[in-house]
Amino acid sequence: MAPTGSPSIRPVVASPPVPKPLRKAVFPAAGLGTRFLPATKAQPKEMLPLVDKPIIQYVVEEAVASGLTSIIIVTGRGKNAIEDHFDVSYELERLLESRGKTDLLEQVRAISTINVSYVRQGEQLGLGHAVLMARDLVGDEPFAVMLGDDIIDSAVPCMKQMISVFEKHGGPVIAVQQVPKSEISAYGVIDGVPEGDSGRVYRLRDMVEKPKAEDAPSDLAIIGRYILTPDIFEMLETTPRDKNGEIQLTNGLRALKEKRALYGYRFDGVRHDAGNKLGFLKATVEFALKRPDLGAPFRAYLKSLDL
């Protein structure tokens, strides 16, 4: 016991490490888009227009609006249109300028000012493999993974919401959404316990890939937004391939869970699965109705249909 009058000695409690700022986002975009054949026979699925923007642009804009400054797109054969889209088009800019189409000119120039890098995935060997291909460009810092066919409409960008969770908890964050049990077998599903009092954050105990409805640990499905730490690369390098010869990101995350805390975040927003035909059509209608220049006449047209 310390002598009377002397200051008591308190144990030093280490503060949790402050995560490095999030700057980079990886976009896996090497898939063949077979769900949309024959439209995707000669053009990337990511370039299919949702109203008047390719679907990948919506997600890239979400990343930029969330404060991310470096976009890394994992491409493959036949994906040159993606690179051309985010490149400067001097001829088009001169044409728009000469015709006084300043609004379109600003939109075109805004696309080409985004800092975009590319890496090629020679074979499509799963989402985990696509993430692994970005390792050299990501380096030793946290990064986001954003799937280009998951369009999330929200007042605050979904990734920005997730960054707040990451900065508070310091561990990888996975976006989740409640889905009906009848649809749960199409998703990866989390087993988690609530963390904090927001009702939206869960500390993960496990993840199950496409379980039967009766075996699903929850109704919280994994959606195409992740914030990952660079130690995921080591996990993916040693993750066994599945029966299709692919490296699954979920399996890498399950291995990472044994070394650090992982969190699920039930984001605030509406998600559109533009990776299938019905979801793409629904998203087209929703976004068209939100447009100031299209909403009113398009709504009138829909009401006029004899459905």
Side-chain angles (χ1 to χ4, degrees):
M1 180 177 293
T4 303
S6 64
S8 60
I9 300 174
R10 297 181 180 178
V12 177
V13 179
S15 301
V18 178
K20 293 182 180 179
L22 201 71
R23 302 185 304 122
K24 299 178 179 180
V26 174
F27 288 73
L32 297 177
T34 54
R35 291 181 180 179
F36 283 91
L37 285 170
T40 50
K41 181 176 182 290
Q43 72 168 327
K45 173 190 69 175
E46 295 80 10
M47 293 302 297
L48 292 174
L50 185 55
V51 187
D52 57 2
K53 291 192 293 189
I55 57 177
I56 193 173
Q57 184 177 331
Y58 286 89
V59 190
V60 169
E61 288 175 347
E62 178 192 323
V64 173
S66 300
L68 304 184
T69 57
S70 178
I71 306 300
I72 301 166
I73 301 180
V74 182
T75 66
R77 183 180 178 277
K79 301 286 184 170
N80 292 345
I82 298 175
E83 298 185 28
D84 290 342
H85 181 70
F86 290 103
D87 200 357
V88 178
S89 178
Y90 295 108
E91 299 85 353
L92 178 59
E93 289 185 15
R94 283 199 296 269
L95 176 66
L96 294 173
E97 190 171 18
S98 68
R99 295 184 177 179
K101 297 185 176 181
T102 55
D103 289 347
L104 289 176
L105 179 60
E106 290 176 3
Q107 293 179 45
V108 168
R109 282 179 172 168
I111 297 168
S112 60
T113 60
I114 300 171
N115 178 22
V116 184
S117 304
Y118 301 91
V119 61
R120 297 271 290 199
Q121 184 185 20
E123 292 184 85
Q124 283 72 64
L125 298 176
L127 179 56
H129 182 261
V131 172
L132 195 55
M133 297 304 299
R135 183 174 192 172
D136 289 344
L137 291 177
V138 168
D140 186 25
E141 57 184 282
F143 62 103
V145 174
M146 306 178 72
L147 302 192
D149 52 11
D150 267 338
I151 312 296
I152 298 176
D153 187 15
S154 55
V156 177
C158 177
M159 182 51 62
K160 189 171 185 178
Q161 298 175 44
M162 295 175 65
I163 290 172
S164 296
V165 176
F166 174 70
E167 290 174 343
K168 179 177 180 179
H169 295 281
V173 183
I174 301 167
V176 298
Q177 176 188 40
Q178 286 183 301
V179 301
K181 282 284 188 177
S182 59
E183 301 175 13
I184 203 73
S185 61
Y187 296 88
V189 183
I190 69 163
D191 176 9
V193 294
E195 181 85 5
D197 55 6
S198 71
R200 292 187 174 274
V201 180
Y202 303 83
R203 183 160 179 155
L204 300 192
R205 296 185 296 199
D206 202 359
M207 289 160 280
V208 182
E209 189 66 27
K210 298 182 178 180
K212 294 179 180 178
E214 60 269 23
D215 298 329
S218 73
D219 62 352
L220 294 171
I222 297 172
I223 303 302
R225 300 287 188 277
Y226 307 80
I227 295 178
L228 305 177
T229 45
D231 44 358
I232 187 62
F233 294 123
E234 180 184 347
M235 301 298 106
L236 292 173
E237 279 188 328
T238 57
T239 296
R241 297 191 180 191
D242 65 12
K243 61 182 180 181
N244 297 318
E246 297 183 342
I247 300 173
Q248 297 299 337
L249 179 58
T250 299
N251 291 337
L253 289 169
R254 293 184 75 187
L256 184 62
K257 179 181 61 65
E258 301 303 315
K259 295 191 173 185
R260 61 155 66 238
L262 272 62
Y263 301 91
Y265 174 67
R266 185 169 55 82
F267 60 88
D268 182 16
V270 178
R271 175 247 186 178
H272 299 281
D273 182 3
N276 68 69
K277 294 174 185 177
L278 182 58
F280 180 82
L281 291 172
K282 289 180 178 179
T284 300
V285 172
E286 293 280 353
F287 278 85
L289 289 173
K290 282 177 171 285
R291 286 278 294 265
D293 57 336
L294 296 173
F298 186 47
R299 182 175 287 104
Y301 167 72
L302 293 176
K303 289 180 178 180
S304 74
L305 296 177
D306 185 16
L307 299 177

